[in-house]
Amino acid sequence: HVQLVESGGGAVQAGESLRLSCTTSGYTCRDCCTGWFRQAPGKEREGLAAIDSDGTIAYAVYVKGRFTISRDSAKNTLYLQMDSLTPEDTAMYYCAAVGENVLSLGASRYKVWGQGTQVTVS
């Protein structure tokens, strides 16, 4: 049973940082892609960053330079370091995985999702 669990969200002031974590269980990523997404009320879910099995990374243009995706394979954990946060970053943040090594920021491609962690920036 594949499971993703996010943590690290919270309420911060503009300009501050947060690091989100996503712990995975139930599978070993040999050919997969994992990514971070967010969804604000009334808006569509948008891709932020993704990393494939080879370690290749993609960022959405609206977070490049502020957000950094990384993973610790030994801990089965995916991270999203978010710096210089603004109120526009307020949303529910999700991690997701798909069992194919195709780097993508498209939410529809991902098959397994975590429950989300709320980030609020004021």
Side-chain angles (χ1 to χ4, degrees):
H1 177 63
V2 179
Q3 193 171 18
L4 307 177
V5 179
E6 302 95 334
S7 61
V12 297
Q13 299 291 316
E16 294 184 342
S17 300
L18 278 174
R19 188 176 79 157
L20 306 182
S21 299
C22 173
T23 302
T24 64
S25 62
Y27 79 102
T28 300
C29 180
R30 293 188 180 87
D31 291 299
C32 73
C33 186
T34 49
W36 286 98
F37 299 78
R38 69 184 178 191
Q39 188 167 19
K43 294 187 177 182
E44 291 188 357
R45 190 166 297 189
E46 58 182 7
L48 304 174
I51 182 168
D52 69 11
S53 300
D54 301 320
T56 305
I57 290 171
Y59 290 103
V61 293
Y62 36 84
V63 300
K64 196 169 185 179
R66 294 194 302 127
F67 290 8
T68 304
I69 189 172
S70 62
R71 68 176 173 218
D72 185 332
S73 298
K75 296 182 179 179
N76 291 326
T77 302
L78 183 73
Y79 300 100
L80 185 69
Q81 176 68 39
M82 305 187 296
D83 299 320
S84 303
L85 286 164
T86 73
E88 288 69 37
D89 295 314
T90 295
M92 185 71 79
Y93 283 68
Y94 300 88
C95 65
V98 58
E100 54 186 29
N101 194 24
V102 179
L103 194 63
S104 173
L105 294 176
S108 62
R109 199 175 190 101
Y110 288 75
K111 306 302 182 187
V112 183
W113 292 82
Q115 83 290 348
T117 185
Q118 177 68 39
V119 172
T120 303
V121 185
S122 60

